[in-house]
Amino acid sequence: MTEWTRVREERRIFEDEAVLALDKPVGVSVMGERHDTDLVTMARAAGEELFPAHRIDKVTSGVVLFARELRFHGDLTRQFNRRTVEKAYLALTRTRGVPETATIDLPLSVGRKNRVRIAANRADIVALPADAGHSAPDGGGMLWTVPAAKTFPHVRTYPSITRIARVWQGDQHTLLVARPVSGRRHQIRVHLAWIGHPIEGDPLFERAPVTRTFLHSWQLAYDAAWDGGRRRFTEAAPGADFWAALDPAEAAAAAAALAGFTAPAAF
């Protein structure tokens, strides 16, 4: 059995004539890895050609969608580009105090060493409660934003919005669902870190992390043009390693809260 055969069999969520949805393990890239292997290269070496409809970071686990033939690829990528695909991620932070719902509306830019950052100084980020007369885009109980006059004028900026909802809060940790409205590189990771709630184990913001990055691509919904345009929903339940930062009692409580989670209307 090849490595690809094992991954395909153990990690397959859904498959038909057009697409293959996998639950990507942590530590494996979707494609384009220079020195290590990646899923596309592994598949090609085993005689299967796959075309990624999108990417998730190497440190992120969870749902990733591939077209099995090139003729299906264009429509899928257009859906991601047009932001008609619904995406939901799970993030575990070693912080407390995240609002029940919130919107992070902070532009991104690329800084030194190709690092993604907010296109403003951290001190200029403001948190505005909705009940103070400041409405978050698409609702949301809190809005993190930066005044337009404080956005860096000397770099290219990328408008970026992430909606978050609190699922569970323990003694030290918080479990969040994050929905990226825009789909920028490292968006969720940078947005959460810059509002003071970095994802635990994230090497972008934690020196020499000793755990995995606790970010998981949880749900994906898209239109299957080859199946009469039906809306497809795909979910990858987080594995045991996703709860490893919590003690057993808290892990059970967080998993139970997730099982009973209903997205707020504003989310």
Side-chain angles (χ1 to χ4, degrees), residues 78-87 159-160 180-184:
R78 281 190 291 273
Q79 290 184 56
F80 280 91
N81 291 337
R82 293 170 179 168
R83 301 175 184 174
T84 61
V85 175
E86 297 174 78
K87 297 172 285 185
S160 305
V181 177
S182 45
R184 312 296 186 186

Side-chain angles (χ1 to χ4, degrees), residues 101-105 126-145 161-164 181 266-267:
T101 61
T103 297
I104 307 170
D105 185 0
V126 293
L128 306 173
D131 59 7
H134 303 282
S135 298
D138 301 313
M142 181 73 74
L143 170 65
W144 274 278
T145 188
I161 297 174
T162 304
R163 294 200 295 269
I164 59 175
V181 177
F267 182 64

Side-chain angles (χ1 to χ4, degrees), residues 105-107 119-120 123-126 128 145-152:
D105 185 0
L106 295 172
D124 292 325
I125 296 173
V126 293
L128 306 173
T145 188
V146 63
K150 297 293 185 179
T151 301
F152 291 156

Side-chain angles (χ1 to χ4, degrees), residues 64-78:
V64 63
L65 187 68
F66 298 90
R68 297 187 62 205
E69 297 181 24
L70 191 57
R71 62 192 174 106
F72 300 117
H73 183 250
D75 179 69
L76 290 170
T77 56
R78 281 190 291 273

Side-chain angles (χ1 to χ4, degrees), residues 51-193:
F51 306 92
H54 65 123
R55 300 191 196 189
I56 60 175
D57 291 340
K58 182 176 182 178
V59 300
T60 304
S61 58
V63 179
V64 63
L65 187 68
F66 298 90
R68 297 187 62 205
E69 297 181 24
L70 191 57
R71 62 192 174 106
F72 300 117
H73 183 250
D75 179 69
L76 290 170
T77 56
R78 281 190 291 273
Q79 290 184 56
F80 280 91
N81 291 337
R82 293 170 179 168
R83 301 175 184 174
T84 61
V85 175
E86 297 174 78
K87 297 172 285 185
Y89 288 74
L90 300 176
L92 193 63
T93 73
R94 190 182 286 273
T95 61
R96 291 168 50 87
V98 182
E100 183 177 350
T101 61
T103 297
I104 307 170
D105 185 0
L106 295 172
L108 300 178
S109 64
V110 179
R112 292 178 298 176
K113 299 182 179 180
N114 202 33
R115 290 177 63 93
V116 179
R117 57 160 294 157
I118 301 301
N121 292 316
R122 189 184 298 268
D124 292 325
I125 296 173
V126 293
L128 306 173
D131 59 7
H134 303 282
S135 298
D138 301 313
M142 181 73 74
L143 170 65
W144 274 278
T145 188
V146 63
K150 297 293 185 179
T151 301
F152 291 156
H154 57 281
V155 297
R156 184 174 181 181
T157 61
Y158 303 88
S160 305
I161 297 174
T162 304
R163 294 200 295 269
I164 59 175
R166 188 182 69 229
V167 178
W168 169 88
Q169 181 174 269
D171 290 338
Q172 299 182 52
H173 293 86
T174 300
L175 176 64
L176 302 172
V177 174
R179 294 191 184 276
V181 177
S182 45
R184 312 296 186 186
R185 180 166 66 100
H186 302 335
Q187 176 178 315
I188 296 173
R189 299 164 66 183
V190 173
H191 271 177
L192 288 175

